[in-house]
Amino acid sequence: MYRILVCEDEKSIADALEIYLTNEGYEVLRAENGIEALETIKKEELHLILMDIMMPKMDGIKATMRIREEKNIPIIILSAKGEDYDKVLGLNVGADDYVTKPFNPLELLARVKSQLRRYTNLGGIAEKTTDNMVRTGGLEIDLSTHEVFVDGEQKKLTPVEFGILSFLAQNAGRVYSIHQIYEAVWNEPSVNTENTVSVHIRRIREKIEINAKEPKYVKVVWGVGYKVEKI
Amino acid sequence: MDTKWKKFSRSLAVRVILNGLMIGCILIEMMLCLKIYDTEKKIDKTYTYKHADDFYGNTALQTDIIDAWEELFEFVIASNCQAKDSANAKEQERKLENAIGKFQYQLTMKDGNGKDKTISNCVNTSHDLNTFPIYNLYKGYLNGDTYIKDWTNYYVDSYTEKYEKDKGYAYMDEDFTNFTWLDINSIINGLCQENQAYSQYVAENIVENIQVYKDTIKECLYYFYYDDSNSNDKTITNNILKKLYSSMDKSFISTFKNRIADEYLEDKEYLTYDKTTGLVYSDDTECYYYMSQDNSIKCYDELTPKTRSRLEKEMDEQDKKQEPLTKEEKNTLIETISKAIYIGDNGLDSDAQILIPIAAVLGTPEEYTMYIGVDDALYQATQAVYMDQYSVTKEKADIIEKQERTYIFTLLGVLVFLGLVVLALLYVCGRKEGTEEIQYLAIDAWYTEIQVIFIILGIIAGIACMAMVADAFSYNPLLFSKENVLIVLMALALTAIILIEFLCSIVRKIKGGILFRQSILGRMLSVGQEKLYYGKTSKRIMFFYLVVGGAWLFFEYVGMCLSVYDSEHWLLIFMQLILVFLLASTAIFLHRYLHQWDQIRNGVKRIKAGEINYQIPTNDSKKLLNLFAKDINSLSEGLENAVDEMLKSEKLKTELISNVSHDIKTPLTSIITYVDLIKKEDVQPDKVKEYVEVLDQKSQRLKTLTDDLFEAAKATSGVMKMEATQIDLGSLVNQAIGEFSEKLEKSDLNVRNNIESDSFYVMADGKLTWRIMENLLGNVSKYALTGSRVYIDATDTGNMISLTIKNISNTELNISSEELMERFTRGDQSRNTEGSGLGLNIAQSLAALQGGEFHVEIDGDLFKAMLELPKAKTDII
């Protein structure tokens, strides 16, 4: 039974979140602002925090910073602020994920699950580690068994998709153009094959990302190519 | 009347006629000149002397008289200077007798009572001078002033200038001021008698007492000593000089120097006389000159102290030694003086300076009178012959002269007429019938100064030419043949015509008021006006330089002029110092000025680069650049404020959008989540389920709409940040198509992407461009006709890359492209499907944000979206 703290000043949203989370079998604790959240964290044992940003007394960014000073509980920021720099700020101060309002309840729940899985199964994953394992963030690629795990959950990829993903993940952080990817994966010169790669990439994203439109692992660098984020 | 006169005076005919007249007059003038020249040549000059009643034609008689006069003069001197019975005197007397032969002469002297006393007359005593009064003797010849004057003309450098009619004799005057006959007997006799004491007295008298004579005698002595080759023993002269004159004497020094200058080709300027040694030192060759015993000039290259002391001793002794002249020396002195008296007669090459004052020694004028008489019969006999010849030639000459006069009068008449013609020409020039405007000719384009210079030069050349011809003609008429004269005259005529044309041109310019404008000065000033008078500061600096520079040039010039006389003039040195000072102060000024200028330039550069709060260092001075720097500082302060203001307002805008967005999104979140919760409940009846479905749909649409709305707001308000990098358009399009592949496949659309990767690079923000593509491809997948093809092309338009997406619409596009671009417009006019209607508008804003353009075209069912983005500078990543 995981315990989740919902830190949200808007009561209706907090209620809705509680309903969803309770339905999924989590125990929900609530706080109306950052200070309350900090107090609760001191008293209770928690597994995850859903944090709003714009709250009275102490905002979500400050609270996250404070929490991170002591604990490494997964924090998902849930905010109406959807600008890029808001997201970057949130993730930089220590949040593990950023979901914008209005959110898709299913997506949110998926992200919650994913975070919990990572948080609780961390030791197990570590055990599995071998030389043929490529890992970035919650993405794990076993090169010997051709298996792909996202936050511990296995994803089924076609051989081409696996080739592309493993190629990018092995060189995480580096941007590869469509041509380079094609030549590396298909092992033959690329002539008018651009669409193939980008379609494959989209499919990979749909399989491994929670929200394909806001990918966490496989990212597009527009006009240049693709890369797997080094996390 | 007035108009008639105008019409007449401005007609072409009048101008042509006047010009013709002008040229004609000049030619006539020249022909007349030629005629006059011709007649002038015909007159026989030999017989044109003055008047018929003088004896000028009678040259033989004239020569005889002159000879006689000279002989008489010499005789007088000789007989007085030497003992009467000396050989020389006898010789002179004989000569006189020969010369005077046919004449009579008389020499009278005023005695103490003022009465004329005859002291000598014709040697031939048969002539009783008393019975031959002077007027009788000269009857017919000595006819007043004319005689004397003309006689002097013939006897070049003659003795006399004045003839006193009432006294009847001529004497030296003016140039020969003191050539008189005073005391000639006593002095010369004294000198010439063998009376030593008296000779000594005279010599001393001449040398010491009579100041006027002193220098003259001395110079005469020097003259003989240095220059007279006949002088057989110069040592004696040298001794006389040494005894009589100090070694410091000016004449001695100057003569000495002259000789050195002549013999050794020294410049007199560099010679200095040393009175202690009697040497002349030359600065130029660094030699010491001295006069040796044999009267030659020699030089020491170096002066040893020993020699110097010896010379000094000699000089000292010489000055102290006042020995009397020896007999031999006295004789030589007398001889010299006597010689000096003869100089004029002997035609020795000497200047009057020596001669005249020597003559002055000889006394005052009034005392002696010298007469020459001519026998009447002799005169008649000789004169008659000449008179006959003379009258014949004179008659001829008179006729020719009369003719010449006629020519001259005609010439003057024509000249007056020519003047009138020129005046008329000046009046009519530049006018034309039927217009008030001045008509210019090509010649008027010449600058006024050049024309004026031409006119002046022409006049000078004409006058000089004529003067030269006249001069040459008077020397040798044969040099000028008629042909030569004709050529000269034609040249003069041509010059005159050209000059008159120039004059007309100037008058035309005056009439047209362009005299000054068409001059070099006028041009320079009109150019200068634009360049000089445009700023207060530049004016001030120009004024300073004009005044200081002008004054400097003036003084420099004066200094240079003065330095001609004084090789190192102080003014020139002073001006050089001032020049140095001026240059130095200009350099300092420039240094300061340029330093400040650099500071300002640097400051402006930094401000330009974005450092808008940069302050250029300034001080309190009122100098131009300092004020300028202050202005720039205040400008940058203003700029800083403006930028701050702008930043503040942008921040406010961003905050506003962000807050509004938050405030809308929060309730929307609740709506969406609760709708979702309701959906999950098993609600009854089914109707409610339908309602909830609508709520779900509409809340989702509201979400999309809000997102797009804020996107559009951000894009147009400038809040959105843009980071342009070089991106490959082909890759981007491929990526975008990849993202949309599912949707496109669903609509069964065949996308033909004709853009190859690595062929078009644009400077753009990848994310924003993707957003544009997303909107466009979204539209394509929504509105393109199912099963049709979509074409994507790109072209290079120079500075931009143009991307085109063409597709066939699945519904009729009955609105214009402009309307389509407006917010919330959709082609299908139905708002039921998903989408906000903001897509194209957002695409346009985003394109503009990246410095590009976006527009659409509708051609029937063909929908064409065109995106232009700035081309990247290089095609290589």
Side-chain angles (χ1 to χ4, degrees), chain B residues 694-710:
Chain B
V694 174
L695 275 178
D696 187 32
Q697 264 180 29
K698 294 303 161 188
S699 63
Q700 283 304 330
R701 197 161 133 56
L702 190 60
K703 178 175 178 274
T704 323
L705 202 58
T706 337
D707 283 346
D708 281 359
L709 190 59
F710 285 116

mmCIF file of all heavy atoms in Angstrom, chain B residues 694-710:
data_model
loop_
_atom_site.group_PDB
_atom_site.id
_atom_site.type_symbol
_atom_site.label_atom_id
_atom_site.label_comp_id
_atom_site.label_asym_id
_atom_site.label_seq_id
_atom_site.Cartn_x
_atom_site.Cartn_y
_atom_site.Cartn_z
ATOM 1 N N VAL B 694 -21.154 14.619 -24.473
ATOM 2 C CA VAL B 694 -21.036 15.965 -25.049
ATOM 3 C C VAL B 694 -20.096 16.828 -24.181
ATOM 4 O O VAL B 694 -19.192 17.502 -24.692
ATOM 5 C CB VAL B 694 -22.424 16.636 -25.162
ATOM 6 C CG1 VAL B 694 -22.278 18.079 -25.612
ATOM 7 C CG2 VAL B 694 -23.271 15.865 -26.140
ATOM 8 N N LEU B 695 -20.339 16.723 -22.899
ATOM 9 C CA LEU B 695 -19.502 17.504 -21.987
ATOM 10 C C LEU B 695 -18.027 17.149 -22.179
ATOM 11 O O LEU B 695 -17.154 18.041 -22.248
ATOM 12 C CB LEU B 695 -19.880 17.214 -20.538
ATOM 13 C CG LEU B 695 -21.032 18.019 -19.950
ATOM 14 C CD1 LEU B 695 -21.292 17.567 -18.514
ATOM 15 C CD2 LEU B 695 -20.715 19.503 -19.972
ATOM 16 N N ASP B 696 -17.785 15.844 -22.306
ATOM 17 C CA ASP B 696 -16.407 15.388 -22.495
ATOM 18 C C ASP B 696 -15.799 15.985 -23.754
ATOM 19 O O ASP B 696 -14.698 16.569 -23.745
ATOM 20 C CB ASP B 696 -16.407 13.860 -22.560
ATOM 21 C CG ASP B 696 -14.990 13.332 -22.586
ATOM 22 O OD1 ASP B 696 -14.094 13.989 -21.955
ATOM 23 O OD2 ASP B 696 -14.709 12.309 -23.231
ATOM 24 N N GLN B 697 -16.549 15.837 -24.857
ATOM 25 C CA GLN B 697 -16.059 16.366 -26.141
ATOM 26 C C GLN B 697 -15.749 17.845 -26.041
ATOM 27 O O GLN B 697 -14.673 18.322 -26.432
ATOM 28 C CB GLN B 697 -17.126 16.163 -27.225
ATOM 29 C CG GLN B 697 -16.917 14.920 -28.048
ATOM 30 C CD GLN B 697 -18.011 14.800 -29.091
ATOM 31 O OE1 GLN B 697 -18.567 15.811 -29.557
ATOM 32 N NE2 GLN B 697 -18.347 13.568 -29.435
ATOM 33 N N LYS B 698 -16.745 18.592 -25.516
ATOM 34 C CA LYS B 698 -16.614 20.046 -25.510
ATOM 35 C C LYS B 698 -15.510 20.503 -24.557
ATOM 36 O O LYS B 698 -14.799 21.478 -24.827
ATOM 37 C CB LYS B 698 -17.941 20.708 -25.148
ATOM 38 C CG LYS B 698 -19.012 20.488 -26.190
ATOM 39 C CD LYS B 698 -18.560 21.004 -27.560
ATOM 40 C CE LYS B 698 -19.415 20.375 -28.661
ATOM 41 N NZ LYS B 698 -18.913 20.674 -30.009
ATOM 42 N N SER B 699 -15.349 19.785 -23.461
ATOM 43 C CA SER B 699 -14.282 20.192 -22.549
ATOM 44 C C SER B 699 -12.911 19.941 -23.173
ATOM 45 O O SER B 699 -11.979 20.728 -23.029
ATOM 46 C CB SER B 699 -14.419 19.484 -21.193
ATOM 47 O OG SER B 699 -14.280 18.087 -21.378
ATOM 48 N N GLN B 700 -12.802 18.835 -23.935
ATOM 49 C CA GLN B 700 -11.535 18.568 -24.638
ATOM 50 C C GLN B 700 -11.251 19.659 -25.668
ATOM 51 O O GLN B 700 -10.114 20.106 -25.849
ATOM 52 C CB GLN B 700 -11.607 17.191 -25.340
ATOM 53 C CG GLN B 700 -11.444 15.999 -24.411
ATOM 54 C CD GLN B 700 -10.163 16.020 -23.594
ATOM 55 O OE1 GLN B 700 -9.157 16.556 -24.037
ATOM 56 N NE2 GLN B 700 -10.188 15.473 -22.383
ATOM 57 N N ARG B 701 -12.341 20.030 -26.358
ATOM 58 C CA ARG B 701 -12.180 21.073 -27.385
ATOM 59 C C ARG B 701 -11.780 22.403 -26.745
ATOM 60 O O ARG B 701 -10.939 23.148 -27.258
ATOM 61 C CB ARG B 701 -13.489 21.236 -28.127
ATOM 62 C CG ARG B 701 -13.312 21.964 -29.416
ATOM 63 C CD ARG B 701 -14.450 21.731 -30.331
ATOM 64 N NE ARG B 701 -14.892 23.001 -30.890
ATOM 65 C CZ ARG B 701 -14.096 23.820 -31.537
ATOM 66 N NH1 ARG B 701 -12.828 23.532 -31.681
ATOM 67 N NH2 ARG B 701 -14.568 24.925 -32.031
ATOM 68 N N LEU B 702 -12.384 22.662 -25.607
ATOM 69 C CA LEU B 702 -12.054 23.876 -24.880
ATOM 70 C C LEU B 702 -10.568 23.874 -24.521
ATOM 71 O O LEU B 702 -9.868 24.891 -24.612
ATOM 72 C CB LEU B 702 -12.902 23.945 -23.609
ATOM 73 C CG LEU B 702 -12.849 25.265 -22.844
ATOM 74 C CD1 LEU B 702 -13.336 26.415 -23.701
ATOM 75 C CD2 LEU B 702 -13.709 25.167 -21.581
ATOM 76 N N LYS B 703 -10.079 22.703 -24.184
ATOM 77 C CA LYS B 703 -8.672 22.561 -23.827
ATOM 78 C C LYS B 703 -7.780 22.910 -25.021
ATOM 79 O O LYS B 703 -6.863 23.737 -24.924
ATOM 80 C CB LYS B 703 -8.411 21.125 -23.373
ATOM 81 C CG LYS B 703 -6.974 20.839 -23.010
ATOM 82 C CD LYS B 703 -6.854 19.409 -22.464
ATOM 83 C CE LYS B 703 -5.425 19.061 -22.137
ATOM 84 N NZ LYS B 703 -4.724 18.566 -23.327
ATOM 85 N N THR B 704 -8.088 22.295 -26.155
ATOM 86 C CA THR B 704 -7.320 22.579 -27.365
ATOM 87 C C THR B 704 -7.345 24.072 -27.690
ATOM 88 O O THR B 704 -6.332 24.694 -28.001
ATOM 89 C CB THR B 704 -7.909 21.802 -28.567
ATOM 90 O OG1 THR B 704 -8.335 20.538 -28.118
ATOM 91 C CG2 THR B 704 -6.899 21.684 -29.673
ATOM 92 N N LEU B 705 -8.579 24.587 -27.626
ATOM 93 C CA LEU B 705 -8.785 25.991 -27.963
ATOM 94 C C LEU B 705 -7.949 26.900 -27.057
ATOM 95 O O LEU B 705 -7.257 27.802 -27.534
ATOM 96 C CB LEU B 705 -10.276 26.303 -27.791
ATOM 97 C CG LEU B 705 -10.822 27.497 -28.545
ATOM 98 C CD1 LEU B 705 -10.590 27.332 -30.037
ATOM 99 C CD2 LEU B 705 -12.319 27.629 -28.259
ATOM 100 N N THR B 706 -7.972 26.627 -25.788
ATOM 101 C CA THR B 706 -7.193 27.449 -24.853
ATOM 102 C C THR B 706 -5.710 27.356 -25.171
ATOM 103 O O THR B 706 -5.006 28.363 -25.232
ATOM 104 C CB THR B 706 -7.389 26.967 -23.398
ATOM 105 O OG1 THR B 706 -8.617 26.253 -23.319
ATOM 106 C CG2 THR B 706 -7.396 28.110 -22.445
ATOM 107 N N ASP B 707 -5.253 26.127 -25.392
ATOM 108 C CA ASP B 707 -3.823 25.963 -25.717
ATOM 109 C C ASP B 707 -3.438 26.789 -26.942
ATOM 110 O O ASP B 707 -2.448 27.546 -26.928
ATOM 111 C CB ASP B 707 -3.514 24.476 -25.974
ATOM 112 C CG ASP B 707 -3.424 23.703 -24.665
ATOM 113 O OD1 ASP B 707 -3.340 24.366 -23.600
ATOM 114 O OD2 ASP B 707 -3.430 22.457 -24.702
ATOM 115 N N ASP B 708 -4.225 26.636 -28.001
ATOM 116 C CA ASP B 708 -3.907 27.356 -29.238
ATOM 117 C C ASP B 708 -3.987 28.863 -29.043
ATOM 118 O O ASP B 708 -3.191 29.623 -29.577
ATOM 119 C CB ASP B 708 -4.865 26.925 -30.356
ATOM 120 C CG ASP B 708 -4.448 25.591 -30.943
ATOM 121 O OD1 ASP B 708 -3.403 25.066 -30.470
ATOM 122 O OD2 ASP B 708 -5.125 25.086 -31.841
ATOM 123 N N LEU B 709 -5.004 29.267 -28.264
ATOM 124 C CA LEU B 709 -5.190 30.687 -28.054
ATOM 125 C C LEU B 709 -3.970 31.295 -27.371
ATOM 126 O O LEU B 709 -3.440 32.327 -27.795
ATOM 127 C CB LEU B 709 -6.435 30.901 -27.181
ATOM 128 C CG LEU B 709 -6.910 32.337 -27.062
ATOM 129 C CD1 LEU B 709 -7.244 32.894 -28.434
ATOM 130 C CD2 LEU B 709 -8.150 32.393 -26.162
ATOM 131 N N PHE B 710 -3.473 30.595 -26.366
ATOM 132 C CA PHE B 710 -2.299 31.139 -25.689
ATOM 133 C C PHE B 710 -1.060 31.076 -26.581
ATOM 134 O O PHE B 710 -0.217 31.965 -26.556
ATOM 135 C CB PHE B 710 -2.068 30.431 -24.353
ATOM 136 C CG PHE B 710 -3.056 30.874 -23.326
ATOM 137 C CD1 PHE B 710 -3.979 29.995 -22.776
ATOM 138 C CD2 PHE B 710 -3.072 32.218 -22.935
ATOM 139 C CE1 PHE B 710 -4.911 30.442 -21.859
ATOM 140 C CE2 PHE B 710 -4.007 32.649 -22.013
ATOM 141 C CZ PHE B 710 -4.937 31.763 -21.470
#
